[in-house]
Amino acid sequence: MSIPNDRKYAQTHEWIRAEGDVMLVGISDPAQDQLGDLVFVGDVRVGAKLKAGDTAGVVESVKAASDIYAPVDGEVVAFNDELGDAPEKLNADPYGNWIFKLKPVNPDDIETLLDADGYQAVVDAS
């Protein structure tokens, strides 16, 4: 399973990558693999102001449902509507499909998250 080193990771399996003044947030390849075939991505509320660790939305598969957490403090500014119609896109390309965009309170907070090697260690330990 791939874990690109061009982004940061939360221990709860979200990835986050800066794009201008917002952050793209998705779920990692190990997370989508563990969930299995995704059938729903949503319940993301645009405009929600979240603290790191707050629930931002949900992904559901044929096996289970899992919350998606905000990796850093910020405001949800967009939801990827394409995933509402085709959640399986996350299975096919988890790093090419973001779930929501977050405008961070402090962009430097991303540095508190795991790099690819640190996240790989979390995956290996689970």
Side-chain angles (χ1 to χ4, degrees):
M1 258 170 270
S2 68
I3 300 177
N5 59 11
D6 65 343
R7 58 201 76 208
K8 296 287 193 165
Y9 299 87
Q11 294 203 20
T12 49
H13 306 288
E14 292 81 14
W15 59 258
I16 185 167
R17 182 170 54 91
E19 185 181 83
D21 65 343
V22 298
M23 305 281 180
L24 306 180
V25 180
I27 62 170
S28 69
D29 193 17
Q32 70 77 27
D33 184 64
Q34 189 172 30
L35 285 165
D37 294 334
L38 295 175
V39 296
F40 177 79
V41 178
D43 291 346
V44 176
R45 194 168 52 90
V46 174
K49 294 183 178 171
L50 304 173
K51 296 282 187 193
D54 285 352
T55 300
V58 67
V59 290
E60 293 180 17
S61 71
V62 293
K63 293 187 204 174
S66 181
D67 288 337
I68 309 163
Y69 301 102
V72 296
D73 296 356
E75 179 179 351
V76 176
V77 294
F79 169 68
N80 186 348
D81 289 325
E82 290 181 18
L83 296 177
D85 296 331
E88 67 277 6
K89 286 183 170 188
L90 284 179
N91 292 118
D93 187 5
Y95 300 114
N97 292 286
W98 53 272
I99 297 172
F100 63 94
K101 291 182 179 180
L102 190 71
K103 185 169 180 66
V105 171
N106 181 358
D108 292 339
D109 286 350
I110 192 171
E111 298 305 322
T112 65
L113 299 170
L114 300 167
D115 62 14
D117 290 340
Y119 180 65
Q120 182 67 59
V122 169
V123 171
D124 291 346
S126 60

